[in-house]
Each structure stands twice: as C-alpha cells, then as structure tokens.
Amino acid sequence: MSKNTQRLPSKYNPHDVEKDRYKFWVDGKFFEATGDKEKEPFTIVIPPPNVTGKLHLGHAWDTTMQDTIARMKRMQGYDVLWLPGMDHAGIATQAKVEEKLQAEGKSRHDLGREKFLQVAWEWKEEYAQFIRNQWEKLGLGVDYSRERFTLDEGLSKAVRDVFVTLYEKGLIYRGEYIINWDPQTKTALSDIEVIYKETNGQFYHLRYPIKDSEETIHIATTRPETMLGDTAVAVHPDDERYKHLIGKTVVLPIVGREIEIVADESVDMEFGSGAVKITPAHDANDFEIGNRHGLERILVMNEDGTMNENAGKYAGMDRFECRKQIVKDLEAQGVLFKIEDHVHQVGYSERSGAVVEPYLSTQWFVKMKPLAEAAIKMQQSSEKVHFFPERFERIYLHWLENIRDWCISRQLWWGHRIPAWYHKETNEIYVGREAPEDIENWEQDEDVLDTWFSSALWPFSTMGWPDEDAVDFQRYFPTDVLVTGYDIIFFWVARMIFQSKEFTGRRPFKDVLIHGLIRDAEGRKMSKSLGNGVDPMDVIDKYGADSLRYFLLTGSTPGQDLRFQWEKVEATWNFANKIWNASRFALMNLEGFTYDDIDLTGDLSLADKWILTRLNETIEHVTRNTDKYEFGEAGRNLYNFIWDDFCDWYIEMAKIPLYGDDEVKKQTTRSVLAHVLDQILRMLHPFMPFITEEIWQKLPHEGESITVAQWPVVQEQFHNEKAAAEMERLVSIIKSVRNIRAEVDTPISKEITMLIQCENNDIVKELENERHYLERFCNPGKLVIAEEVNVPEKAMSAVVTGAQIYLPLEGLIDIDKEIARLEKELEKWTKEVERVQKKLANENFVNKAPQAIVDEERAKEKDYLDKQAKVKARLAELKA
RNA sequence: GACUCCGUAGCUCAGAGGGAGAGCACUUGCUUGACAGGCAAGGGGUCAGUGGUUCGAUCCCACUCGGAGUCACCA
C-alpha cells in the first residue's frame, strides 16, 4: 500500500505537527507490547515519578532517553515493552496532602486514617493525570495497558510477600535502636534520607564533677541538651589522664543523676578532651557503648522535638530553646566554662529539611549484609549489571560494601502498611501475608513501609510477580535497561538489584544507564528556592517537543550534568526547520511519485552513489552509538549528515536532474531522494518522533506509522569508495573556486573561462563526466578540462589532488594580491611536507608504527610535494 | 579523610594514541525557484601545569593547581 505525496507549509510549526499525533499512536496501539513470539522481547520499566506534582526537566531528560531506546528497538523488530507507572512517594505525597488539608484548617488526625487515605487517593488520581498529560506532550511511547502504581493491589501483594519472606528468613527484624528521626514529619528515616551539611555550631565545654572529690572531668559536646539523658561518661582505657577515674561516679549537673565513668576503646583520645558524655538514647555511638556497658537509656525528647518529662523543668520546650536555656543554666552553675565556634556536619531530613535527631525508637529493619553480599557477588557472574558509564559500578559496590541495616518503617499513613499484627493480650507478633483469622484479638502495626521498599521491587512486581508463572514476568523480566540519575543509585538502583537477586535470582536489568542532573544556564541546580527552574512544558510550547528532546539527548555525554540553555533549544528548532524544508523540497519534486516507484537499480549519478555511501556510513554510526547509549554522538552524526551532506550537497546536486528534462535521470534521482530521506526520517525518529512521523506520512511511504517502520540497515551494494573519492575531488575544486571568488571583490562575469588541468587522462574523463556539477556550482562562462591547458597570464589558480584550476580574471585580478595569496598557500604546503618528511625520516616511526599509518603518511607526502611544486611553479610564472 | 568527575575557541560542550571539532557569538559577501531562523567564505585554541610511558600524548600513567560532587567521620 503506497500513498501519494502532499505539500508542506514553508515553515516548521511544532504545534501543528504535534497536535493529535500522540492520540494517533496510542489509538493505533503502536506502543503496546504484543507478546509476539516471533519477536524478541525488549523491556524497560519507567522510573515511576512521584505523584506529588508535575514533571520537571530531569524527568523529561530521563524519559526521553528511554523513549529513544524503546523506539529504536521497536523499529529493529523487538517486541518492546516500556512499562509506565507512578510511585506513591510516601512522605512526599503525605506532606503535600497534609499541606492541602492545612489550608482548609484541618489536620490528618481530624480526618482519621481512613478518610485521610481517601483524600490521598483522590490527590493521586489528579496528579497521575497531570503526569500522563506530560508524557503525552513529550511523546513518550509507553504501554498504558500495563500502567502500574506502587500501591496497586498486585504490587502490594508483592510487597507483603517480600516482607513476610524476609521476616521468615530472619532478614527483617523489629527492635529498639537509634534511628534518624525527623521531628517535623514525625517519622523515622533511613540513613540515606539524611543529608549532611556543614553547619556553623558551637562546641560547649563542660566540667562534670566527680563524686566525693574536688576533681572534675572535662567533656565537650555540640548538643548540650542531650546531657539530660546522659547515663555515663566514657574514656579510653589507656588514657593516662583518666585512668584513675575509671569506675568513679560523676554527678550529672542540673539533673543530679549519678553516672559512672566507663572505659571504652571507641573513645578517641586525640579528640576534644578525650572524655565523652554518653547518651544512649540520643546518639548512635553512645547507644553502642551503652550496650557494651549495660547503661540505662533515657529518652529526653518527644516525637515532635520538644523535651519530654525526663527533661525535668525543660519539659515542653523545643529542643533548640532548651539548648539555649541549658547553656545559660550550666554557665550559671560554672559547669560550662568555654564555648567555641565549631563547624560540623549536621544531618537534615531530605524531605522536610528539619534537623534530624538521633532517636531511640522501635522500628523495623532489613538486615542488609547477606543481601548486599549476594548482590556484590552477582557482579562477578554472568548476571552482572552493566553500568553506563562504567565508573558508577564502583560507587554502587562501595556503598554495598559499607552498608548498614535499612530502617524501613515510617510513621505515616500513606503507604504499604506493615503486615505485622500484635496480640492485644499476649503481645505476640504475627507477620503474615493475610491478617490473622481472629482479627478482633490483634492490632496491626500502625506504620507503613519506606516508599523505596516497594520501588525496589518495581521491575518484577509490575509484571505479575510473585506469581512466577505470570505471562509478563516470564516474557519481559529481567528488563533490558534502566535509565536513571546518579542521585538515586543508592535509593533505588542498588535496592532493586539486591531485592531482585534475592527474590528472582536474577538481575533486574542487564544495563543501567546513569545520567546527571539538569542545571540552569549558570550551572546551578534548578530549585524552587532559587526560582531558576524551567518547566519542560514551557519549552515544548515554545519550540516543540522534538526540539526539547533533541537538545536533551545531544546536550551532554553519559553521566555528566546538563546545562539548560534556551539558545540551544532554539538551535535545535533550526535543525528541525532544516529537515522540514529539505522535505518540503523533496515533496515538491516527488509529485505523483509513490513508494513503489523507488528504484535504486537505475543508472546512479555520482551524487546518488556518494550519498548512498554516506547513508550507509551514517546508518552504521548512528546504530552503533545509539546501542551504546551515546545519543549525543549519534545525534550529532545524523545532524551533520542531514545538514552538511544531504542538504548542502546532495539536494543541490540533485537539482540538476530534477530541473532537467531527462525523465529517466529524473526518476532515478527521485528514487534516491525519496529513499535517503525516508532512511533519514527513520533514524531520526527515536530522537524527534513528531516531525519525523508527520513528514514520513506525507512522503512516499509504506506502512501505517514510522513508529513501526523498519530501522535502516547498511546496504553493502551501495558502498562505493570510488564515488566517495571522486566526490572529494569535486568538492575540493568547487571550494577552491568559491575561495578564489571570495578573494575578488567585484562579481565575476559569466564570460570567464574556467580551466582545469588534469594530471592524467583518467582524471580528465572523470571530471568530464561530472562537468554538469562544475558548471552549476562554479558557474563559469566556459569550462575547459584537459591534460594541458593554455594558461593565460592573468589568472588566479588553485591546486587540488590530481588537478590544477585556473580562473583568468583579466581586469579583476590584482597580481600582487594573488602572489601574496599563493605564497601563503605555498607556506602551508611546505609546512605539511616538512611535517610528513620529518615523521618518515624517523626510523622508529617507519619500523614501529602500523604499516597502514606509514603508508598513509607516504601518500600524503606525495600529494603535498605535488601541490607544493605546482604552487611554486605558478608563483614563478607570476613573478616573471 | 577516601573516592569520583570536570578544566579543549568569546560562551556551552563534543572528541580521539597518528595532522584540533560542533552549536551559538563574531567578520565578509549573497532577495541562488526547500529554508534569510537560510547560503557561501573566514577569524579565533602551547586541548590547566609539570614529569613519565610511547616511534608518536591534547588523549594513557603520576603528581600539582583550579572547579564541582559523592561517601565517611570526632562526641
């Protein structure tokens, strides 16, 4: 089925091009995985965006890369599944919903758990639709029939299954430990949800009195308010300064509690005073020391960061208020004797920004070591996950090697509720996939799981697992490539790998492509507070999705950050417009021409042979680089092929037959034009889906949509080195002539005769065959091509390999200027000759360098010597 | 403290063991029947520095300087 051609407007308008196109694709089900057994599956799962807001440029970047891969693979004949979905994003979403409630003067507690969750689900639906609309505008070819959400029934089942299994294996446990507490959102956090920032603080030096003694012991702290919970002072057992105090008792100032001085090797004698106050309920190290010495744990804060009843008169005060007050009080008592300014690392909550409090609390944990070890070991096997760029593998491994247990319980409502029940009377714990039968006697754990606990299962939970016979899981897992930013390697990539290894025995993806961050034009991170964020939808409104996509794909190299610059998007628009107009030209010349009319077996012109050769090279290059995820490299290569080779040379050369009246030649040229443009559009389609589909539909084509057209393959029969060499000579001649013309101020009259003196008769014949090109591009009055030409006295000249060009320009030529120009040229060739000869004179080079390189240099030497001699001779003539 | 990345044209960035590239900006000339958001011709870089490996280094290695980041940590 072939279609006839249509006309295009003279300017590329992305709105017209993109309008309704996505609907056409979705309605045509071009993006749906077919399960076709004839085809090999190729799978990508989208990193599920949070349902908290709109997508930003980072998402646009990330998903565009996936779309590019998916589209190419689809065209290469794979059964592509690109599975979309979203993440419930526990803390983030709950915070947004609470914010919304607050605006209405309500809190989540006013609503109660059930009602609150209902509101959250409504929120989710609303934002999910925003996100889908944005995917649409970006042109992402995802399979909506398989869209998933982390709180879906199926995924929740997977979560419960994983939790219960790990619990049964002893890899999940519940216990009272020091965790990172966010007093603002009132939940525990995992280690990586804490961001450490250098913060100006103070170092407070205290003297704790020794009981029944005049002596005091000097300790220093950055968090004096925690002293209310001190239950010991620790020194190093070998510390001569304090040896005699070990076992003695300290009377804790203000509190009056008597606490022991203990010896512990973990104390650093060099740091501070060498004596440490021990607060097991508010510091991870102190907690460990406390365990070793059987110390009491006294919690002095509430969940909201205010002091509790154990803080005595400070009860009810905010922790930082308390700090101020306690400093005053200690100072008054003479306990505090020095305050130093101190820059130290303070942990902040990734979500709320609140200062994280190390806090004693009962939480659920994943025992990481066995899981991490298995994942590390997998990297030595054939199930290795390949990182692109490779260096991120080291970062990943380093993290796993030093991993600590993962605190997975969160004091939130929005999320997967922990499948643990506590017996109301016996306090017995039940962990199971389903609630206990005598549910009235049990109470379920109030907490939910860390969002990342469910995202860690994403590559398989979305495909029907834990049902291992699920059709999609069987066919599409493991996935082929994951695309994500380096900022979530720990949060997500690593966790998917170890969970996948543990539960499926396989890697979750073969490759992982890591990209950087999007920055503003000045290189700053885009952030709300700076107000320097750019909405991808604004970019699309202005320049179209294709321009945005191409900019994102080619703007950086894997693993590097990307600066957003409007000028670059604009430059990409120019490129799109170029393609648009080249296509417009093609359509104007393909009136009545159909896909079936394409016939490349005819008598091809030099231009035809050359462009087909270049097309082959481009196909090879673009395919290879896209396969390696080198989109920048592939995109630039395509850009150069399209703009420089196809538009600037091929189309211009094709105008000769197209505007001529030889119908046979015209048909051949139309065939090549239609074919090359078709192949270009196909290769460009993964990068710029909209414009390519639009043009392709209008060109002679076969098939319903370019999305399912076959990816171009190299056609060896069109590889023609001779044509490439001839073209090179031709281009050199044309450029030389243009060059000469640029030297002459006044326009050159058409009366001029252009003379080309060739080295041998073969070249004469060759150039005679290509005469029409020379006539069109150089536009001389007369063109003489011969082995010997009569060189007029007043002429400008140029040398190319195998030939010498003369342009007699009586009256226009300034002999002195021409001499100066030629002298410059002579200098250039002389330099080249020297460089090459020096190289060839080096025995080591000739003996050790690869033969091909040496031969190449020898050929250059010959060529340069020849040119040098010709220029020299011409100079002599002029000077005579 | 450990590790990673970056330093190439005025700007933003590619690149590759064998004569330095692109886009934008700049200069000059063009209403050339696809495109003036275009065409053509140009100018502009000791590829941060110092050593080393090599026949050959801007590219590989070491160190130094400058910029960015990740992880860990001392109370």
Side-chain angles (χ1 to χ4, degrees):
Chain A
M1 176 197 67
S2 286
K3 285 189 187 151
N4 214 331
T5 56
Q6 300 163 44
R7 292 258 177 178
L8 293 183
S10 76
K11 193 174 275 188
Y12 159 59
N13 181 339
H15 300 285
D16 296 345
V17 167
E18 292 171 15
K19 192 170 157 278
D20 301 331
R21 182 56 71 192
Y22 196 75
K23 191 175 180 310
F24 164 76
W25 287 328
V26 172
D27 289 350
K29 298 190 189 299
F30 299 116
F31 299 147
E32 288 186 21
T34 58
D36 182 351
K37 290 289 189 307
E38 303 283 298
K39 294 179 171 181
E40 266 203 52
F42 186 92
T43 316
I44 304 176
V45 288
I46 205 167
N50 294 349
V51 287
T52 43
K54 292 186 282 183
L55 302 182
H56 51 68
L57 271 176
H59 291 114
W61 192 16
D62 187 86
T63 49
T64 296
M65 283 191 259
Q66 292 165 60
D67 191 45
T68 299
I69 298 166
R71 283 180 187 267
M72 182 174 84
K73 290 292 165 188
R74 194 174 291 122
M75 292 173 78
Q76 286 178 333
Y78 288 87
D79 170 25
V80 172
L81 168 58
W82 185 15
L83 187 146
M86 294 167 211
D87 197 302
H88 68 282
I91 301 183
T93 308
Q94 176 159 331
K96 291 266 186 182
V97 175
E98 284 191 80
E99 225 171 80
K100 192 182 153 196
L101 289 175
Q102 201 177 12
E104 298 162 13
K106 284 182 267 181
S107 82
R108 70 172 147 128
H109 301 284
D110 297 337
L111 271 70
R113 189 164 191 143
E114 210 172 307
K115 189 83 211 305
F116 176 82
L117 289 180
Q118 205 181 313
V119 176
W121 274 100
E122 283 161 15
W123 169 284
K124 177 257 164 182
E125 291 303 338
E126 187 182 349
Y127 278 84
Q129 198 45 48
F130 284 161
I131 290 168
R132 278 183 219 113
N133 292 344
Q134 289 181 295
W135 285 345
E136 171 173 351
K137 285 194 84 173
L138 282 162
L140 307 181
V142 294
D143 181 350
Y144 288 105
S145 73
R146 288 177 171 84
E147 186 182 332
R148 297 288 184 270
F149 181 57
T150 47
L151 284 178
D152 279 351
E153 184 45 45
L155 279 72
S156 300
K157 187 164 177 287
V159 165
R160 282 196 301 275
D161 199 79
V162 165
F163 186 96
V164 173
T165 308
L166 288 177
Y167 179 79
E168 284 165 357
K169 284 186 177 177
L171 293 174
I172 276 184
Y173 61 92
R174 183 172 186 251
E176 193 180 32
Y177 296 92
I178 296 285
I179 44 85
N180 303 293
W181 184 260
D182 179 344
Q184 192 168 317
T185 53
K186 288 180 236 167
T187 178
L189 302 173
S190 66
D191 291 344
I192 53 178
E193 284 166 295
V194 179
I195 299 168
Y196 289 90
K197 280 192 263 189
E198 262 197 4
T199 305
N200 293 318
Q202 273 83 37
F203 217 6
Y204 302 92
H205 295 264
L206 313 175
R207 282 195 191 101
Y208 281 2
I210 311 285
K211 193 186 176 191
D212 301 330
S213 160
E214 293 298 298
E215 239 183 306
T216 58
I217 187 160
H218 173 191
I219 59 152
T221 181
T222 54
R223 293 188 296 150
E225 70 280 7
T226 61
M227 66 140 334
L228 300 168
D230 283 3
T231 53
V233 168
V235 298
H236 194 278
D238 300 335
D239 195 328
E240 294 301 332
R241 294 171 295 181
Y242 303 119
K243 255 186 172 167
H244 66 290
L245 294 176
I246 295 167
K248 295 246 161 88
T249 302
V250 162
V251 181
L252 196 58
I254 298 177
V255 185
R257 182 162 56 240
E258 297 192 356
I259 59 179
E260 197 187 347
I261 299 178
V262 299
D264 196 283
E265 302 219 330
S266 70
V267 177
D268 180 356
M269 288 189 273
E270 306 298 318
F271 189 83
S273 65
V276 198
K277 63 189 267 310
I278 301 300
T279 324
H282 286 277
D283 184 278
N285 285 325
D286 293 4
F287 179 78
E288 296 295 328
I289 293 174
N291 284 354
R292 285 198 284 272
H293 299 275
L295 301 176
E296 197 187 344
R297 302 160 181 168
I298 302 175
L299 200 61
V300 295
M301 278 179 215
N302 295 309
E303 292 182 343
D304 62 357
T306 60
M307 307 309 289
N308 69 11
E309 64 283 359
N310 291 330
K313 64 168 181 166
Y314 304 101
M317 286 176 91
D318 175 76
R319 55 189 167 152
F320 298 117
E321 280 304 310
C322 171
R323 180 178 297 177
K324 280 185 201 159
Q325 190 55 48
I326 215 162
V327 164
K328 267 188 205 164
D329 294 349
L330 288 169
E331 219 165 7
Q333 291 188 20
V335 171
L336 192 155
F337 67 98
K338 191 165 78 175
I339 302 177
E340 279 179 311
D341 284 335
H342 180 63
V343 179
H344 60 148
Q345 302 284 332
V346 175
Y348 297 85
S349 163
E350 192 214 9
R351 281 293 154 204
S352 71
V355 172
V356 165
E357 198 64 38
Y359 196 72
L360 184 69
S361 173
T362 299
Q363 302 288 343
W364 289 89
F365 298 85
V366 175
K367 193 172 170 187
M368 282 309 305
K369 211 148 183 215
L371 295 168
E373 273 168 4
I376 291 166
K377 211 171 146 201
M378 189 163 68
Q379 284 306 91
Q380 318 291 328
S381 74
S382 57
E383 279 290 300
K384 175 187 164 81
V385 173
H386 301 271
F387 282 75
F388 293 81
E390 265 181 24
R391 61 187 154 89
F392 289 106
E393 184 182 2
R394 285 186 55 191
I395 294 172
Y396 157 74
L397 285 173
H398 181 259
W399 185 72
L400 279 186
E401 282 158 5
N402 297 287
I403 199 148
R404 286 191 290 181
D405 286 354
W406 176 14
C407 174
I408 50 170
S409 42
R410 296 290 179 274
Q411 288 62 53
L412 306 169
W413 287 349
W414 179 240
H416 299 275
R417 195 154 172 190
I418 292 174
W421 287 260
Y422 308 106
H423 197 278
K424 285 175 184 167
E425 279 150 33
T426 65
N427 255 353
E428 187 191 341
I429 296 182
Y430 166 83
V431 170
R433 288 165 181 80
E434 305 298 336
E437 280 181 16
D438 51 336
I439 184 71
E440 62 280 1
N441 296 320
W442 297 81
E443 236 167 322
Q444 186 171 8
D445 194 312
E446 288 290 316
D447 294 346
V448 301
L449 289 163
D450 183 1
T451 290
W452 298 102
F453 191 90
S454 55
S455 359
L457 317 179
W458 186 251
F460 44 99
S461 65
T462 52
M463 294 191 194
W465 189 92
D467 174 9
E468 304 212 338
D469 296 326
V471 176
D472 281 0
F473 179 71
Q474 279 290 323
R475 180 165 173 80
Y476 299 107
F477 184 86
T479 70
D480 287 272
V481 58
L482 180 88
V483 182
T484 195
Y486 58 62
D487 52 330
I488 55 172
I489 291 177
F490 305 146
F491 281 104
W492 195 44
V493 177
R495 285 166 175 168
M496 279 191 282
I497 299 174
F498 68 67
Q499 290 291 45
S500 180
K501 169 64 185 160
E502 174 68 20
F503 286 92
T504 74
R506 313 281 311 265
R507 57 188 165 188
F509 26 79
K510 299 183 183 94
D511 294 347
V512 53
L513 172 60
I514 305 286
H515 62 253
L517 260 43
I518 300 236
R519 298 175 175 277
D520 72 3
E522 276 82 52
R524 298 171 302 182
K525 266 190 188 177
M526 286 190 177
S527 71
K528 272 187 197 138
S529 52
L530 276 171
N532 60 348
V534 173
D535 183 344
M537 298 305 119
D538 290 345
V539 184
I540 292 173
D541 288 342
K542 214 160 172 197
Y543 293 103
D546 287 332
S547 295
L548 172 62
R549 290 172 57 116
Y550 188 87
F551 160 73
L552 292 170
L553 288 165
T554 58
S556 99
T557 199
Q560 293 307 125
D561 290 350
L562 171 64
R563 288 193 195 193
F564 180 84
Q565 285 172 299
W566 284 103
E567 309 84 76
K568 288 208 176 185
V569 182
E570 194 179 324
T572 300
W573 185 96
N574 290 350
F575 176 46
N577 189 51
K578 188 73 181 174
I579 297 156
W580 184 260
N581 273 288
S583 306
R584 186 162 170 264
F585 169 84
L587 286 171
M588 290 168 76
N589 288 283
L590 291 171
E591 207 85 38
F593 195 85
T594 69
Y595 192 79
D596 296 334
D597 293 330
I598 294 178
D599 176 10
L600 302 175
T601 63
D603 189 11
L604 298 177
S605 70
L606 174 68
D608 294 336
K609 291 174 191 161
W610 168 77
I611 199 70
L612 289 171
T613 303
R614 286 287 301 119
L615 175 65
N616 269 347
E617 289 168 2
T618 306
I619 291 169
E620 191 279 325
H621 195 282
V622 170
T623 307
R624 181 163 43 82
N625 280 290
T626 310
D627 268 328
K628 290 193 301 182
Y629 314 116
E630 296 278 356
F631 306 118
E633 196 52 34
R636 275 185 296 275
N637 195 263
L638 249 181
Y639 182 104
N640 291 332
F641 175 68
I642 292 169
W643 202 312
D644 303 342
D645 294 338
F646 184 66
C647 293
D648 289 346
W649 287 100
Y650 183 73
I651 285 184
E652 291 307 318
M653 292 170 103
K655 283 176 181 172
I656 298 170
L658 289 174
Y659 294 160
D661 41 35
D662 183 328
E663 276 307 317
V664 177
K665 282 185 178 167
K666 205 177 266 189
Q667 278 304 94
T668 305
T669 305
R670 282 175 172 162
S671 288
V672 176
L673 183 67
H675 171 70
V676 175
L677 189 51
D678 169 78
Q679 298 285 293
I680 282 173
L681 292 171
R682 291 180 197 219
M683 275 190 279
L684 196 59
H685 179 254
F687 295 78
M688 296 183 154
F690 292 102
I691 189 174
T692 48
E693 177 79 278
E694 175 79 7
I695 297 169
W696 193 81
Q697 292 288 349
K698 293 189 159 131
L699 275 176
H701 67 283
E702 193 174 48
E704 259 189 282
S705 164
I706 195 171
T707 56
V708 290
Q710 195 203 50
W711 183 256
V713 288
V714 170
Q715 294 187 269
E716 281 306 332
Q717 72 272 30
F718 293 125
H719 183 75
N720 191 328
E721 249 168 75
K722 187 164 168 281
E726 287 185 23
M727 182 67 185
E728 201 182 323
R729 193 192 324 275
L730 200 60
V731 168
S732 305
I733 294 172
I734 293 165
K735 289 199 163 192
S736 301
V737 172
R738 283 174 177 167
N739 211 307
I740 288 173
R741 294 192 155 183
E743 291 282 320
V744 184
D745 293 339
T746 18
I748 297 168
S749 114
K750 283 210 174 178
E751 311 303 303
I752 300 289
T753 299
M754 177 174 160
L755 306 161
I756 303 179
Q757 181 165 300
C758 306
E759 208 170 85
N760 57 49
N761 196 246
D762 288 342
I763 297 179
V764 174
K765 278 198 221 153
E766 173 191 317
L767 291 181
E768 274 300 341
N769 282 335
E770 297 159 17
R771 162 179 282 275
H772 53 297
Y773 295 128
L774 292 166
E775 283 169 348
R776 180 172 178 93
F777 285 82
C778 303
N779 202 23
K782 199 177 152 203
L783 175 61
V784 176
I785 302 166
E787 273 187 83
E788 283 300 328
V789 298
N790 291 322
V791 182
E793 258 181 54
K794 293 210 164 181
M796 294 181 85
S797 68
V799 291
V800 299
T801 302
Q804 194 158 6
I805 307 140
Y806 298 97
L807 282 176
L809 298 165
E810 301 275 352
L812 294 172
I813 181 170
D814 176 335
I815 296 287
D816 291 339
K817 263 174 94 179
E818 175 65 357
I819 288 175
R821 192 178 68 90
L822 289 176
E823 267 171 351
K824 233 175 113 187
E825 185 152 356
L826 178 63
E827 195 186 328
K828 178 179 143 200
W829 296 123
T830 306
K831 257 186 171 165
E832 295 288 10
V833 167
E834 275 169 13
R835 191 185 58 77
V836 176
Q837 289 189 335
K838 191 177 155 201
K839 227 174 179 178
L840 289 166
N842 182 345
E843 270 182 46
N844 280 323
F845 172 73
V846 178
N847 294 333
K848 294 188 179 175
Q851 193 56 44
I853 299 284
V854 178
D855 289 347
E856 204 178 299
E857 292 296 318
R858 290 220 167 95
K860 283 179 193 166
E861 185 195 18
K862 185 173 164 288
D863 186 38
Y864 297 155
L865 276 171
D866 181 56
K867 284 172 174 161
Q868 184 194 32
K870 282 177 177 161
V871 174
K872 210 178 211 168
R874 179 62 189 164
L875 264 171
E877 281 169 28
L878 284 181
K879 282 179 178 170

